[in-house]
Amino acid sequence: MVIRSLFVGAVTIACVGCSHGASPARGPVPAVQALDRTSLDTTCAPCRDFFEFANGGWLSHTEIPAAFPSWGSFNQLYEHNLDVLHDLLEAAAKDNAAAPGGNRRKLGTFYRTCMDSAAAETAGLEPLKPELDRIAAVSSGAALLAEAARLQRAGARALFAFAAGPDAKHSTEVIAEAGQGGLGLPDRDYYTKTDSTSERLRQQYVTHVARMLELAGTGTADDARAAAQRILTLESALAGASMTRVQQRDPNAVYHKMTVAELGAISPGIAWDEYFGAVGAPAVTALNVRQPDFFKALSGLVRDRPMDDWRWYLRWHVIARFGPWLASPLANEDFHFEQTLTGVKEQQPRWRRCAEATDNALGEALGQEYVAHAFSPEAKRRALEMVHNLESVMEDRLHGLPWMGDTTRQQALTKLAGYTNKIGYPDRWVDYGALRIEPGSFVANVQRANEFDTGRRLAEIGKPVDRTRWGMTPPTVNAYYNPRMNEIVFPAGILQPPFFNPDADDAINYGGMGAVIGHELTHGFDDAGRQYDAVGNLRDWWTAADGDRFKAQAQLVVDQFAGYTAVDTLRVNGRLTLGENLADLNGLRIAYAAFERTLVGKPRPPLIDGFTPEQRFFLGWAQVWRGKYRDEYARLLVNVDPHSPPRWRVNGPLSNMTEFRKAFACNPGDAMLRPDSVQPHIW
Ligand SMILES: [Zn+2]
């Protein structure tokens, strides 16, 4: 995973064939107030627990809607964006005048075939029959690799991950990259943890896999049960050879460029020729192998495990990938396991799942229509202005850092000057001309869309990096920093209230969108991002002394967050969340400084809702992170999400900020004021 985003939510999380969330109520979101006073709990002192002060009212009067694993500001905005997409797609689906082969026709057809639940019931398992027949014929390691390649192209998680991206040490060139994968549960930790909750979840997983295999008619109940157990054994072996998320945060630990011959030498059990022949990549001579140990282990498993186990494994992954779109017995069982993982109570309405599926498959075709309706040139101009203001503050602060030597400082300034800012939507859109979308089987449309997407990405291997590409679609409520392109990217979907509200005062907008921009800017200088240079190469440009000083300060943040409880007795993982916590802290600091500049030379703004501008800045941040999670989902996130829970994204950084202490007149001993000795000072 190259990209550092703001938030893991509805659209970015990987789990078992599921999509999250559903809309509790249709219709446009009402005009958003700059600050929602009913959200406050003024009986809680801001210096005791600011998250509670800012959001306690909302927390007490808000229920998580039944079809959601969590609910908060991000969800509310995303629901609004989905309502826009829904209207666009309904119109496209009815537009008989849309040009055949054009984007609008494809959008309408894709969405309409998705909405046709009656066709899904009638088709039964027919859409998967070609794949299941091919899997039944797999009788050698070579055939296994060729079939895994086909399934990967169609969107299934079979054996491992294979992708194309900028070479981390030669960032102008696209290379192939192979990495660990092939699991059905959301993370390797689900297979390796020995606590009773994890043990129980694995049993539930086996039951679920068996049920899906049985419903798919691939065997009797007893066959399916035995097969599910063997699948768990196989996946546990893959998990045991996989790196943890914390280990993968070190970019050097996942960079092992080698020739295909060298890869073959460490993994002789894997038929690489057959794999590359089937995956549809241009000739690959060298590639980055993110986890060589994983491929050594996979090689042994392919050689040693019975081919029957592998056929069951492939069947499971193809059924899991398309289960949500098959006839209701399979779709319902798929949802049942989503409930186990996330705690959701109800299935989402079909239109909502279909709008998301279209965003996944044809994101830049749909995105063009979305921005035409929901994103003005004026909004783009204002967002860009804010980005420039933040970059200017960051530059001034780099000049003044007392702990950084001039050698490192010059490199840091060069890096900052090299940032690319992407706002709203791509300048050049994906050309979907070669993608066939047809009436009939929706599963077939999804497979073709995945094959098209994989194909166009892999076709870039060996070519110069195309710097116009985006990693998120325009309606996405999220943002990211990409270290290999040294770019910050803000989709139109997040440049909306409450993050960015044209009707709000600057204080609220700088505390919301300003701090989000600061967050992404800072990722280029967090514990992972700082290891890349101005042009996106993984290269150590720090003096040893400056690097040591950085690490000592970062350790304070690790220790701080490791002390917070996420859910039950589970603590936040201070190492997993370090990059995000650093980004929040510094993002807030530079956004605050940029906000202060807006006050210079003007009359002092009056109180609004009884708060000073400085106080409203922090309230802006707190209301962006207003949210609550079901316990099951919180347990899932603590394993996989590099972001801290909302309460700590508010209280964690603010309790390190002198600016916050001053704004609310906090005193030593208040929980929101951490002692000077443990406050990190980095940028
Ligand atoms: Zn982030």
Side-chain angles (χ1 to χ4, degrees):
M1 178 64 70
V2 175
I3 284 168
R4 309 265 168 262
S5 74
L6 179 71
F7 174 72
V8 169
V11 290
T12 52
I13 196 163
C15 74
V16 186
C18 66
S19 45
H20 296 276
S23 176
R26 278 284 286 118
V29 169
V32 179
Q33 291 171 282
L35 177 69
D36 176 7
R37 274 199 67 90
T38 66
S39 182
L40 306 178
D41 175 3
T42 51
T43 67
C44 177
C47 295
R48 188 165 71 77
D49 182 342
F50 191 66
F51 184 78
E52 197 65 31
F53 171 77
N55 297 321
W58 182 89
L59 290 167
S60 69
H61 66 63
T62 301
E63 291 275 347
I64 301 172
F68 281 76
S70 64
W71 188 248
S73 297
F74 275 83
N75 303 89
Q76 284 169 298
L77 175 51
Y78 187 56
E79 290 313 295
H80 171 69
N81 294 352
L82 276 176
D83 281 336
V84 175
L85 300 187
H86 185 199
D87 291 344
L88 292 170
L89 287 168
E90 287 286 340
K94 291 176 190 128
D95 184 358
N96 294 324
N103 278 354
R104 188 167 171 80
R105 175 64 71 100
K106 286 174 186 173
L107 286 169
T109 305
F110 189 88
Y111 179 74
R112 204 169 52 238
T113 55
C114 182
M115 289 299 289
D116 192 349
S117 56
E121 296 298 340
T122 312
L125 213 67
E126 198 57 33
L128 296 188
K129 191 156 184 313
E131 288 304 341
L132 293 174
D133 287 349
R134 268 201 289 269
I135 291 168
V138 168
S139 59
S140 67
L144 168 63
L145 267 294
E147 180 58 19
R150 269 195 296 273
L151 292 182
Q152 288 173 7
R153 289 174 58 204
R157 284 196 286 271
L159 297 188
F160 56 88
F162 185 72
D167 183 340
K169 293 195 177 178
H170 191 63
S171 67
T172 54
E173 202 172 280
V174 179
I175 58 164
E177 192 164 58
Q180 68 188 42
L183 304 180
L185 285 165
D187 187 73
R188 51 93 67 198
D189 285 1
Y190 279 75
Y191 298 85
T192 58
K193 283 188 169 178
T194 53
D195 60 280
S196 60
T197 309
S198 302
E199 299 269 12
R200 190 170 61 248
L201 197 61
R202 283 196 289 275
Q203 306 251 310
Q204 291 170 311
Y205 179 59
V206 168
T207 304
H208 166 61
V209 174
R211 188 95 187 102
M212 292 290 276
L213 291 173
E214 189 191 344
L215 287 168
T218 52
T220 65
D222 285 348
D223 291 343
R225 182 84 204 171
Q229 196 61 55
R230 283 148 75 189
I231 289 165
L232 177 69
T233 304
L234 258 186
E235 291 185 355
S236 298
L238 295 176
S242 297
M243 290 171 80
T244 66
R245 286 180 191 252
V246 169
Q247 287 169 331
Q248 293 182 75
R249 283 191 49 72
D250 173 1
N252 281 299
V254 290
Y255 189 80
H256 308 279
K257 194 170 173 182
M258 56 181 81
T259 63
V260 171
E262 286 166 335
L263 174 60
I266 63 164
S267 54
I270 300 178
W272 287 109
D273 285 349
E274 277 77 4
Y275 177 79
F276 288 124
V279 81
V284 173
T285 49
L287 73 168
N288 179 35
V289 180
R290 286 172 58 86
Q291 296 91 4
D293 286 347
F294 175 86
F295 288 94
K296 287 177 196 169
L298 176 62
S299 168
L301 291 167
V302 169
R303 193 187 52 217
D304 298 339
R305 295 297 164 100
M307 216 27 77
D308 197 41
D309 286 15
W310 287 113
R311 284 191 291 270
W312 281 113
Y313 169 87
L314 294 178
R315 276 181 201 116
W316 158 236
H317 278 276
V318 73
I319 293 165
R321 174 62 183 82
F322 297 104
W325 306 113
L326 297 173
S328 51
L330 280 152
N332 291 343
E333 173 57 31
D334 178 84
F335 174 66
H336 176 69
F337 194 63
E338 182 186 341
Q339 290 185 295
T340 304
L341 283 177
T342 66
V344 292
K345 308 290 182 211
E346 272 177 19
Q347 178 65 285
Q348 305 162 1
R350 195 169 185 96
W351 74 260
R352 190 185 181 286
R353 290 184 285 140
C354 288
E356 283 197 325
T358 315
D359 182 40
N360 284 332
L362 288 152
E364 293 200 6
L366 185 55
Q368 278 179 70
E369 297 219 10
Y370 170 79
V371 296
H373 281 78
F375 193 61
S376 67
E378 171 62 10
K380 181 163 180 161
R381 190 194 65 74
R382 285 188 62 181
L384 194 58
E385 180 182 298
M386 206 178 233
V387 170
H388 288 150
N389 291 348
L390 269 284
E391 285 172 344
S392 160
V393 167
M394 183 79 179
E395 184 187 340
D396 290 353
R397 289 174 77 95
L398 285 175
H399 277 293
L401 287 184
W403 60 270
M404 188 179 265
D406 281 339
T407 309
T408 312
R409 190 191 318 277
Q410 272 318 313
Q411 298 273 338
L413 286 164
T414 303
K415 175 160 185 173
L416 181 65
Y419 269 57
T420 298
N421 306 315
K422 291 182 173 174
I423 310 285
Y425 53 89
D427 291 333
R428 197 162 65 79
W429 299 96
V430 170
D431 177 359
Y432 292 99
L435 170 59
R436 262 190 319 122
I437 298 294
E438 294 179 355
S441 167
F442 177 63
V443 167
N445 279 335
V446 173
Q447 290 183 351
R448 278 192 294 265
N450 285 330
E451 281 159 13
F452 169 80
D453 198 54
T454 311
R456 79 177 172 85
R457 290 173 194 276
L458 296 185
E460 295 181 348
I461 293 170
K463 295 188 177 152
V465 169
D466 177 354
R467 299 185 62 89
T468 67
R469 289 273 177 254
W470 279 53
M472 286 178 182
T473 67
T476 306
V477 184
N478 212 330
Y480 66 89
Y481 171 74
N482 182 352
R484 295 189 202 173
M485 305 247 252
N486 197 25
E487 64 178 8
I488 49 177
V489 185
F490 304 94
I494 197 171
L495 299 168
Q496 318 269 346
F499 295 84
F500 184 69
N501 187 343
D503 301 326
D505 44 312
D506 278 345
I508 293 286
N509 279 334
Y510 272 88
M513 198 62 217
V516 166
I517 293 167
H519 173 108
E520 300 306 341
L521 259 178
T522 302
H523 271 314
F525 297 91
D526 74 14
D527 60 313
R530 77 180 185 90
Q531 301 186 55
Y532 293 84
D533 68 12
V535 295
N537 281 326
L538 181 56
R539 175 176 75 79
D540 189 2
W541 47 267
W542 292 62
T543 64
D546 287 334
D548 288 346
R549 281 191 282 267
F550 175 93
K551 285 180 204 159
Q553 290 295 305
Q555 186 61 42
L556 295 173
V557 180
V558 173
D559 297 341
Q560 178 190 357
F561 282 80
Y564 293 142
T565 299
V567 57
D568 308 329
T569 55
L570 286 177
R571 294 294 178 94
V572 174
N573 183 333
R575 293 223 152 272
L576 178 63
T577 57
L578 175 59
E580 301 300 331
N581 296 331
L582 290 170
D584 281 344
L585 175 58
N586 189 61
L588 278 158
R589 283 195 171 133
I590 60 178
Y592 188 89
F595 167 60
E596 279 189 315
R597 287 187 184 178
T598 69
L599 299 174
V600 174
K602 295 181 196 156
R604 172 93 184 146
L607 298 186
I608 305 178
D609 302 318
F611 295 107
T612 66
E614 292 79 9
Q615 291 171 335
R616 288 174 67 80
F617 172 91
F618 293 109
L619 287 165
W621 176 249
Q623 78 174 3
V624 160
W625 294 109
R626 185 169 81 179
K628 59 205 293 189
Y629 292 69
R630 296 188 192 281
D631 286 354
E632 294 89 339
Y633 191 54
R635 281 185 212 111
L636 186 155
L637 291 184
V638 83
N639 279 323
V640 304
D641 188 355
H643 306 85
S644 299
R647 176 177 301 272
W648 306 123
R649 293 194 74 167
V650 174
N651 290 357
L654 300 194
S655 59
N656 285 325
M657 290 180 69
T658 314
E659 300 90 332
F660 177 81
R661 175 177 66 77
K662 283 188 190 152
F664 286 93
C666 302
N667 294 307
D670 287 336
M672 287 300 301
L673 176 55
R674 301 180 77 234
D676 285 346
S677 59
V678 293
Q679 283 193 15
H681 291 282
I682 305 182
W683 302 275

